Amino acid sequence: MDRIHILDKDFEVSIKNETIQERVKALAERINQDYEGKNPIIICILNGAFMFAADLVRYLTFQPEILFARFSSYEGTETTGQVKEVMGITTSLAGRDVIIVEDIVDTGITMYNVLPLMRQKGASSIKIACLLQKPEKLQVDLAIDYCAMEIPNDFIVGYGLDYDGFGRNYKDIYSLAK
Ligand code: IMP
Ligand code: MG
């Protein structure tokens, strides 16, 4: 499927699953080198990162614990872009290495606000692994340790990412049609 229609918008395929898999595998190899023999906690940020996390962890050669968390952001209402933990972590992070797995870093505000929450829980190290980043849109000082792909400033769906709740199921990534 090269074109899809979701609600009122048309999207065209921009990153095929074969490419996604190559990039995810290459990212996993970097993570494998850094965490060999360790048992970090991987936190998959719902909803968008579910597919990326599912593929990423299958390429890992160490033994992580895998947890899930969900945050809601108050976009538009607050310039600080505060996030609220909607589904939190109940496992202790004290003294643990944590890898946050996120679908996409856009303005970076979500991750910027999530990091202190993880630090408060006592993690000894925290790294961010994202599938995608839009470098042109980054608004905050955020170190992204692992990023599979950088993309231009387009709105995308598929491979976990949604437009108004739909489109997450596609194995390829689609951009808004011009
Ligand atoms: P940030 O706080 O601006 O970095 O936004 C990050 C969140 O916005 C991601 O976790 C996504 O859920 C969502 N997001 C950003 N860009 C896109 C996109 O192009 N398509 C779908 N969701 C997006
Ligand atoms: Mg997200």
Side-chain angles (χ1 to χ4, degrees):
M1 259 181 306
D2 284 350
R3 276 180 93 86
I4 54 171
H5 183 83
I6 301 174
L7 301 173
D8 60 334
K9 296 198 191 324
D10 291 308
F11 293 86
E12 55 199 14
V13 73
S14 58
I15 311 173
K16 296 283 257 181
N17 190 263
E18 298 73 58
T19 307
I20 297 171
Q21 293 302 327
E22 280 168 21
R23 304 305 290 263
V24 171
K25 194 171 176 213
L27 193 75
E29 280 161 11
R30 285 180 51 205
I31 298 174
N32 283 335
Q33 283 177 5
D34 294 350
Y35 289 88
E36 199 192 314
K38 296 184 177 170
N39 301 102
I41 292 183
I42 287 182
I43 301 177
C44 168
I45 307 296
L46 298 173
N47 295 327
F50 79 96
M51 209 177 276
F52 169 46
D55 282 339
L56 181 72
V57 297
R58 279 181 272 195
Y59 293 120
L60 299 179
T61 50
F62 54 90
Q63 282 179 3
E65 279 183 67
I66 303 171
L67 307 180
F68 300 85
R70 191 163 164 230
F71 299 88
S72 74
S73 46
Y74 301 107
E75 283 158 41
T77 54
E78 296 233 1
T79 44
T80 50
Q82 300 213 347
V83 297
K84 199 174 111 199
E85 206 169 356
V86 185
M87 186 189 123
I89 303 291
T90 49
T91 306
S92 169
L93 302 185
R96 302 293 301 271
D97 296 313
V98 168
I99 307 171
I100 299 174
V101 174
E102 171 68 314
D103 52 359
I104 183 165
V105 176
D106 187 30
T107 63
I109 289 169
T110 307
M111 279 302 103
Y112 187 82
N113 286 288
V114 164
L115 283 178
L117 298 179
M118 298 297 157
R119 277 192 210 106
Q120 272 168 25
K121 294 179 195 292
S124 61
S125 78
I126 307 172
K127 289 193 178 183
I128 297 173
C130 67
L131 175 72
L132 299 154
Q133 196 205 343
K134 297 178 187 172
E136 288 165 35
K137 288 194 69 188
L138 194 66
Q139 287 179 17
V140 289
D141 181 18
L142 184 73
I144 299 166
D145 305 280
Y146 307 103
C147 178
M149 290 174 279
E150 293 189 346
I151 57 166
N153 194 1
D154 299 330
F155 186 78
I156 56 155
V157 296
Y159 196 70
L161 290 112
D162 72 305
Y163 168 51
D164 230 356
F166 293 98
R168 295 192 197 274
N169 57 301
Y170 294 103
K171 67 180 171 46
D172 303 317
I173 289 173
Y174 294 80
S175 306
L176 206 52
K178 308 248 153 53

